[in-house]
Amino acid sequence: LFLLIMYPLSWLPARILFALSDVCFVLIYYVLGYRKNVVYTNLARSFPEKSYGEINTIARQFYRYFTDLWFEDIRTLSFSRKKMGRMATVENIELIKRYTEQGRSTMIVVGHYGNWEYLLNLTIQLRSKIVYKPQSVKAVDKLMTHMRTHYTSEGIIPMQDVARYMLTHKNEAFDYVFIADQSPSPQSKGWVQFLNQETLFFGGAEKLATALDLPVLYAELQRTSRGQYTITFQPICEHAAQLSEHEITHRFAALLEQSITRQPAFWLWTHRRWKHRRQSIQS
């Protein structure tokens, strides 16, 4: 039912879709106040040096961007592979191709910063495998899977299957993309100082990179205009097995924090990212 409604919308001109986004912004920010408590608390704790006025400005900018994300994703439902390639320009792609030519797989880590769904563009230009976390609501999971397999039927791997897949295909050169700033279970041990708070990070990507001694790169999605992005790679390490435990996670967190600090409105502030507190877990 959702696709029956959204697919025709995807054919509308961008200016109309973004006008609808402006209407949705007013609705969820001023009328519904969707997760405002979460957003303002996250921002205040992440930027304690900023005034209330500055926090308020970032929050409004975030909600404007948040509704744009919905309509950017709706647009992709009817995109051709060629058009999708124009929406997200991949810069310095030679960093990845150099490893591919050496017959090495890479691990690409990214946060919920910019439109992470546009990373599917990598499956068009590289031998990429996007690792995703299945949604608990089956209808939502089916919808997201449909959207993510629009360009490639083999470019996504459920998180619970990725370890087996990577070990089975360790002699093949693939580019594994992990959204690595998700909140893990409280039993994890990857505590990092991130945005002025002790933050628990998902460590599965680092463990797999270390086990297979992969090069690891950070991908930043920089928004250039509504619906347009550039993807830029920054090396984290050449050989993951040579680094100490949690070092990759710390380096990733530092790079992601730089991106967020530069343009804070483009991170997913509605996420209850700090639902686990170190003191309460230890007690």
Side-chain angles (χ1 to χ4, degrees), residues 3 6-7 9-12 17 69-81 83-85 87-88 115 117-121 143-144 146-151 227 229:
L3 284 173
M6 294 300 118
Y7 190 74
L9 277 179
S10 71
W11 288 95
L12 292 175
L17 287 175
L69 281 178
W70 304 350
F71 289 92
E72 287 178 358
D73 290 342
I74 288 170
R75 290 181 73 202
T76 67
L77 289 172
S78 59
F79 276 180
S80 65
R81 289 169 64 91
K83 190 170 184 180
M84 185 64 195
M87 295 299 103
N115 192 336
E117 294 294 338
Y118 274 40
L119 282 168
L120 291 170
N121 190 48
L143 172 66
M144 298 307 296
H146 174 86
M147 293 176 66
R148 290 165 176 170
T149 55
H150 182 60
Y151 305 103
Y229 293 84

Side-chain angles (χ1 to χ4, degrees), residues 24-45 52 55-64 66 268-272:
C24 288
F25 158 68
V26 173
L27 179 64
I28 72 160
Y29 182 75
Y30 290 105
V31 180
L32 299 178
Y34 174 71
R35 289 202 173 186
K36 265 187 161 182
N37 258 349
V38 175
V39 171
Y40 275 84
T41 300
N42 284 345
L43 284 169
R45 288 176 175 172
Y52 177 77
I55 295 296
N56 202 39
T57 297
I58 295 170
R60 285 199 307 272
Q61 290 172 344
F62 162 72
Y63 276 101
R64 283 191 177 277
F66 185 54
L268 189 62
W269 294 102
T270 51
H271 186 197
R272 297 182 188 278

Side-chain angles (χ1 to χ4, degrees), residues 121-139:
N121 190 48
L122 294 179
T123 65
I124 299 171
Q125 303 187 46
L126 300 168
R127 296 191 73 196
S128 295
K129 302 290 183 181
I130 311 292
V131 181
Y132 77 101
K133 182 180 180 180
Q135 301 297 304
S136 56
V137 180
K138 289 185 178 180

Side-chain angles (χ1 to χ4, degrees), residues 179-249:
I179 299 177
D181 65 339
Q182 301 183 59
S183 184
S185 68
Q187 286 73 38
S188 302
K189 298 180 180 179
W191 289 100
V192 176
Q193 190 68 18
F194 175 69
L195 291 173
N196 292 296
Q197 301 162 83
E198 285 197 312
T199 308
L200 198 56
F201 267 78
F202 172 69
E206 177 179 310
K207 289 178 182 177
L208 286 168
T210 302
L212 296 170
D213 195 26
L214 301 181
V216 182
L217 300 99
Y218 168 66
E220 180 184 59
L221 286 93
Q222 191 66 45
R223 197 187 204 209
T224 54
S225 63
R226 278 178 141 177
Q228 295 278 346
Y229 293 84
T230 58
I231 302 172
T232 307
F233 299 110
Q234 297 184 54
I236 288 179
C237 68
E238 284 274 341
H239 293 275
Q242 296 179 2
L243 298 184
S244 59
E245 188 179 12
H246 305 312
E247 181 63 23
I248 291 171
T249 301

